[in-house]
């Protein structure tokens, strides 16, 4: 199938060719013709599937007849949950929109100074890509005209709702004309998303591109059990020395853990940087730019900050901490295997976290094969019943795990009451890796500009962790003081 056959104008087909797109992805093939026919769309598609072009190409097609001389006002409005995703959508719009030389694209996101945004909004804006909170500020102070919006896109709508943007979204949408076309993209289309769609869409066509089971077929997923934090750090060290590793994202559950782990990895000679929501936008953009240019090899990130990152050199995703919510697992591993490439995703978990793994597996409708690394096998056996709710983390009182959302235990249905002993044996050792494989020494790599400039959080000597494949790592002292990401 070709882009021409979808009904797109030749200028947009040429822009796709220039971007290196030879044929449409599945979501593009399904969504573009329906969007060109003027339908509202609710699309569930996996991250990295080409969804940006799926909504932006038909939206731009509609603008081809436009001109810079028409009445001022935003024509295409895209709402995204994060600044990084907004920036990516804006970048893609500039690539696809080359044919419309007059088209002005502006990005308005939180965490950035108002000055540049006020200046940009005082000029003509045809395409506005924004995060809801900051856009609402500008709308309420009368700086943005949304009365001319022809296409409204809600990108990663599920995440925007998770982040509590529902009221902001509704207030913004109320300022757009009822005649607009609305295109909603989301990981899931049920529950609150369906309710949102029923309030703001007209007879939407539903497109579900991939069932959960087919998701991420190009990503090899592996679960490694660890006895404790020291064991986890040794596993991480081993994985990062994999000679097939290009770039990696390591996920932690807290901002502080991301900073500390990035510092520790840098101490070990890795080209590592942190990315999390406490960093200002300038630092985040700079770190992402270094990742894009290959100057950072290991990005240690929290979920929200990493959402939407599209760096094609990422070969490995490593879940150092488990995600707070099962759906975040899908978003995390989707940072590798971009644009049809292959990727690998390793998840490190203690046996006590087994019930969380079960919840992820129920959500993805896939099992994550357990494996071991020769020389780094876990020494502890799983506790009988470690799969039961009662043995999970405490949700209140002393020892409660901060930030742990009850979502993991709520839908235990299938395995509630089915303890570990009653389960069929898992394919232990199905794949195994060797700790003896020749390690690439990251310390030998040339030090990049970014490495030397990376802001460091000084820590007392005694709090340093060691990353050695052969010895015990120092315990992480900050564990009990973790702050939610
Ligand atoms: P997205 O899901 O929009 O974030 O896109 C994920 C990645 O796929 C981006 O790097 C896009 O540039 C790339 N991409 C999108 N559509 C195509 C296509 N038709 N052919 C090749 N790569 C694509």
């Amino acid at each position: 199938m070709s882009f021409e056959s979808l009904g797109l104008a030749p200028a947009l087909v040429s822009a796709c060719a220039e971007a290196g797109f030879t044929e449409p992805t599945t979501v593009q093939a399904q969504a573009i013709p329906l969007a060109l026919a003027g339908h509202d769309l609710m699309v569930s598609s996996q991250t990295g599937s080409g969804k940006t072009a799926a909504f932006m190409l038909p939206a731009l097609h509609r603008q081809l007849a436009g001109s810079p001389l028409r009445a001022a006002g935003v024509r295409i409005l895209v709402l995204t949950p994060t600044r990084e995703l907004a920036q990516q959508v804006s970048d893609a719009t500039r690539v696809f929109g080359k044919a419309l030389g007059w088209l002005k694209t502006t990005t308005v996101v939180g965490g950035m100074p108002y000055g540049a945004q006020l200046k940009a909004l005082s000029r003509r804006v045809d395409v506005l890509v924004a995060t809801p909170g900051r856009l609402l500020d500008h709308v309420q102070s009368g700086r943005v005209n949304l009365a001319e919006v022809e296409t409204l896109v809600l990108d990663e709508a599920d995440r925007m709702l998770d982040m509590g943007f529902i009221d902001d979204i509704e207030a913004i949408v109320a300022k757009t004309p009822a005649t607009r076309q609305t295109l909603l993209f989301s990981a899931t289309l049920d529950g609150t998303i369906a309710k949102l769609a029923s309030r703001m869409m007209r007879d939407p066509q539903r497109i579900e591109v991939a069932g959960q089971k087919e998701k991420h077929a190009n990503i090899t997923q592996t679960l490694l059990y660890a006895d404790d934090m020291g064991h986890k750090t040794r596993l991480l060290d081993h994985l990062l020395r994999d000679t097939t590793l290009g770039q990696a994202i390591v996920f932690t559950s807290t901002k502080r853990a991301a900073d500390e782990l990035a510092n520790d990895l840098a101490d070990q000679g890795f080209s590592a940087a942190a990315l999390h929501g406490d960093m200002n936008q300038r630092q985040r953009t700079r770190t992402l730019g270094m990742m894009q240019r290959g100057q950072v090899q290991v990005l240690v990130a929290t979920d929200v900050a990493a959402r939407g990152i599209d760096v094609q050199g990422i070969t490995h995703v490593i879940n150092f901490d488990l995600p707070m919510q099962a759906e975040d697992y899908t978003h995390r591993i989707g940072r590798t295997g971009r644009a049809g490439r292959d990727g690998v995703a390793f998840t490190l978990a203690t046996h006590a976290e087994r019930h969380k793994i079960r919840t992820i597996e129920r959500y993805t409708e896939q099992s994550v094969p357990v494996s071991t690394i020769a020389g780094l096998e876990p020494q502890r056996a799983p506790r009988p019943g470690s799969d039961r709710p009662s043995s999970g983390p405490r949700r209140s009182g002393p020892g409660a795990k901060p930030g742990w959302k009850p979502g993991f235990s709520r839908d235990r249905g299938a395995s509630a009451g089915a303890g570990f002993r009653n389960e069929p044996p898992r394919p232990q050792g199905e794949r195994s890796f060797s700790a003896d494989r020749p390690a690439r020494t990251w310390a030998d790599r040339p030090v990049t500009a970014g490495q030397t400039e990376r802001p460091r959080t000084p820590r007392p000597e005694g709090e340093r962790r060691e990353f050695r494949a052969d010895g015990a790592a120092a315990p992480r002292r900050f564990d009990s003081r973790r702050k939610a990401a």
Side-chain angles (χ1 to χ4, degrees):
M1 186 181 289
S2 66
F3 279 101
E4 285 96 333
S5 66
L6 301 181
L8 287 168
L12 292 171
V13 175
S14 308
C16 290
E18 261 184 60
F21 298 1
T22 47
E23 57 177 332
T25 63
T26 310
V27 67
Q28 291 160 6
Q30 293 193 26
I32 291 174
L34 287 174
L36 288 176
H39 292 286
D40 281 2
L41 298 183
M42 289 174 72
V43 185
S44 90
S45 66
Q46 68 186 78
T47 175
S49 60
K51 63 186 169 59
T52 313
F55 60 72
M56 196 46 81
L57 290 171
L60 291 173
H61 180 99
R62 197 169 164 163
Q63 298 302 316
L64 280 169
S67 93
L69 301 174
R70 64 190 178 175
V74 175
R75 307 291 159 149
I76 301 172
L77 174 63
V78 184
L79 296 181
T80 73
T82 64
R83 305 169 236 191
E84 283 74 20
L85 190 56
Q87 197 53 56
Q88 276 173 33
V89 171
S90 297
D91 293 346
T93 307
R94 291 190 183 99
V95 171
F96 302 138
K98 272 189 193 148
L100 296 83
W102 50 268
L103 194 88
K104 292 276 178 276
T105 301
T106 294
T107 316
V108 159
V109 293
M112 291 293 274
Y114 276 80
Q117 292 179 5
L118 294 176
K119 200 167 164 194
L121 291 173
S122 67
R123 304 194 185 121
R124 208 188 72 242
V125 180
D126 302 293
V127 183
L128 183 59
V129 186
T131 50
R134 179 61 65 91
L135 176 59
L136 189 59
D137 277 0
H138 290 302
V139 168
Q140 285 171 341
S141 39
R143 292 186 207 103
V144 187
N145 172 14
L146 299 182
E148 305 294 329
V149 170
E150 293 171 26
T151 309
L152 167 69
V153 180
L154 303 174
D155 194 8
E156 299 200 355
D158 55 326
R159 175 49 59 126
M160 288 197 282
L161 297 195
D162 279 355
M163 291 168 76
F165 282 135
I166 181 74
D167 293 340
D168 292 0
I169 293 173
E170 298 214 3
I172 291 165
V173 172
K175 301 281 182 192
T176 64
T179 52
R180 67 174 190 270
Q181 179 181 34
T182 307
L183 308 175
L184 178 150
F185 287 71
S186 174
T188 57
L189 297 181
D190 303 326
T192 47
I193 291 291
K195 277 189 206 144
L196 179 76
S198 68
R199 287 201 295 278
M200 54 184 67
M201 301 179 84
R202 276 169 300 139
D203 191 19
Q205 305 283 303
R206 278 174 82 105
I207 298 177
E208 297 198 41
V209 170
Q212 300 279 6
K213 280 186 183 136
E214 283 87 51
K215 279 187 175 182
H216 297 316
N218 57 335
I219 299 170
T220 305
Q221 300 174 52
T222 301
L223 173 62
L224 297 172
Y225 278 115
D227 293 326
D228 52 27
M229 193 55 76
H231 189 193
K232 266 194 188 185
T233 57
R234 293 194 297 283
L235 288 168
L236 176 65
D237 180 74
H238 176 81
L239 296 175
L240 291 178
R241 293 181 195 280
D242 183 342
T243 49
T244 66
L245 185 142
Q247 286 172 289
I249 292 201
V250 178
F251 282 97
T252 60
S253 55
T254 70
K255 299 165 192 170
R256 179 169 180 166
D259 269 337
E260 297 215 7
L261 193 49
N263 281 348
D264 287 343
L265 290 171
D267 288 345
Q268 301 302 316
F270 291 96
S271 164
L275 187 79
H276 56 68
D278 272 356
M279 292 161 64
N280 66 36
Q281 188 56 31
R282 196 183 300 266
Q283 291 170 319
R284 286 162 73 161
T285 306
R286 186 166 164 275
T287 302
L288 274 178
M290 287 165 61
M291 191 72 184
Q292 292 281 8
R293 293 190 295 276
Q295 293 169 327
V296 165
Q297 256 123 6
V298 184
L299 188 68
V300 186
T302 56
D303 286 295
V304 170
R307 185 104 176 173
I309 287 180
D310 181 19
V311 177
Q312 297 196 356
I314 295 173
T315 54
H316 287 52
V317 169
I318 301 170
N319 292 313
F320 189 76
D321 292 327
L322 290 178
M324 298 282 184
Q325 297 185 58
E327 69 198 75
D328 286 332
Y329 175 84
T330 301
H331 289 286
R332 286 180 174 194
I333 70 170
R335 297 307 108 212
T336 183
R338 307 289 289 176
R341 295 172 191 217
D342 291 335
V344 295
F346 285 96
T347 298
L348 311 185
T350 62
H351 282 296
E353 292 174 314
R354 190 182 167 81
H355 64 289
K356 299 184 191 176
I357 298 293
R358 286 280 177 265
T359 306
I360 289 170
E361 290 178 330
R362 273 198 298 280
Y363 176 80
T364 60
E365 297 179 15
Q366 287 179 326
S367 68
V368 186
V370 180
S371 192
T372 54
I373 292 172
L376 290 174
E377 298 90 346
Q379 300 303 306
R380 292 183 198 153
R383 278 182 294 132
S386 62
D387 224 12
R388 292 179 187 149
S390 57
S391 63
R394 298 173 66 164
R395 290 174 186 83
S396 61
K401 187 142 181 165
W404 180 251
K405 296 196 181 176
F408 265 110
S409 58
R410 238 193 345 243
D411 59 346
R412 299 192 55 79
S415 74
F420 174 71
R421 279 170 299 190
N422 299 332
E423 292 195 356
R426 299 194 41 106
Q428 281 278 359
E430 193 179 80
R431 279 201 296 274
S432 73
F433 306 87
S434 168
D436 299 330
R437 109 183 118 201
R440 186 172 58 176
T441 312
W442 289 76
D444 293 342
R445 292 172 164 254
V447 174
T448 63
Q451 235 177 304
T452 51
E453 287 166 28
R454 193 173 57 82
R456 303 294 308 272
T457 314
R459 244 172 326 129
E461 197 58 37
E463 283 197 30
R464 294 251 172 97
R465 264 177 296 159
E466 286 183 24
F467 280 82
R468 290 178 295 135
D470 55 347
R476 301 218 305 184
R477 293 195 189 166
F478 58 85
D479 263 357
S480 57
R481 293 180 269 133
R482 283 184 170 194
K483 175 170 88 163

